[in-house]
């Protein structure tokens, strides 16, 4: 698969890796939308959250979201926002599932 996040995970494209284990990687977003903006993703290529749900890989789903929550809590005592864009109308631009972890400012609602 020609995937920028797979290439980052493989070390073929540089990124600031903030967490890594056998199943999950977290990187700094290159175009941060908050003072702190991370992306948490499965090591294995999964296009979006719906595809992961359909694959019945509940373990990977749990690992990604559990890690996102841990990182959010670590990086801000004031709260944080987890975002998963899915598909065109969801605003997804990279088709490798990732959870945005945003913090460091008060978030607005509703999102745009
Ligand atoms: P989304 O629109 O939800 O698919 O989010 C994709 C995110 O990936 C955006 O916030 C981009 O800034 C980020 N992004 C794209 N390319 C890179 C990269 N090479 N390194 C880090 N973050 C990236
Ligand atoms: Zn990928």
């Amino acid at each position: 698969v020609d995937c920028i996040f797979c290439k980052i995970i493989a070390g073929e494209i540089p990124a600031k890796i903030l967490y890594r284990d056998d199943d999950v990687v977290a990187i700094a977003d290159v175009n941060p939308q908050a003072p702190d903006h991370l992306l948490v993703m499965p090591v294995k290529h999964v296009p979006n959250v719906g595809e992961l749900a359909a694959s019945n890989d509940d373990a990977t789903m749990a690992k990604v979201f559990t890690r996102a929550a841990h990182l959010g809590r670590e990086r801000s005592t004031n709260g944080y926002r987890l975002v998963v864009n899915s598909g065109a109308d969801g605003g997804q631009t990279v088709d490798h599932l990732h959870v945005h972890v945003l913090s460091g400012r008060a978030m607005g609602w509703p999102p745009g």
Side-chain angles (χ1 to χ4, degrees):
V1 203
D2 189 28
C3 169
I4 191 167
F5 288 172
C6 282
K7 287 177 179 165
I8 286 173
I9 290 164
E12 294 163 12
I13 290 177
K16 186 168 182 190
I17 309 270
L18 297 164
Y19 177 85
R20 159 164 236 148
D21 65 26
D22 287 346
D23 303 302
V24 178
V25 166
I27 66 172
D29 197 296
V30 77
N31 181 24
Q33 301 301 312
D36 201 50
H37 186 173
L38 320 183
L39 303 171
V40 183
M41 63 193 72
V43 167
K44 76 170 188 179
H45 181 84
V46 179
N48 55 57
V49 72
E51 292 283 325
L52 182 58
S55 76
N56 291 313
D57 185 354
D58 294 346
T60 296
M61 187 73 86
K63 283 171 183 162
V64 169
F65 278 88
T66 296
R67 184 54 48 193
H70 279 313
L71 286 165
R73 191 175 53 179
E74 280 170 27
R75 300 190 67 105
S76 171
T77 53
N78 249 13
Y80 54 88
R81 180 169 289 177
L82 304 185
V83 173
V84 181
N85 299 325
S86 188
D89 278 5
Q92 185 172 11
T93 60
V94 177
D95 289 334
H96 181 132
L97 168 62
H98 49 281
V99 179
H100 297 257
V101 185
L102 299 137
S103 66
R105 64 170 170 83
M107 302 293 157
W109 193 262

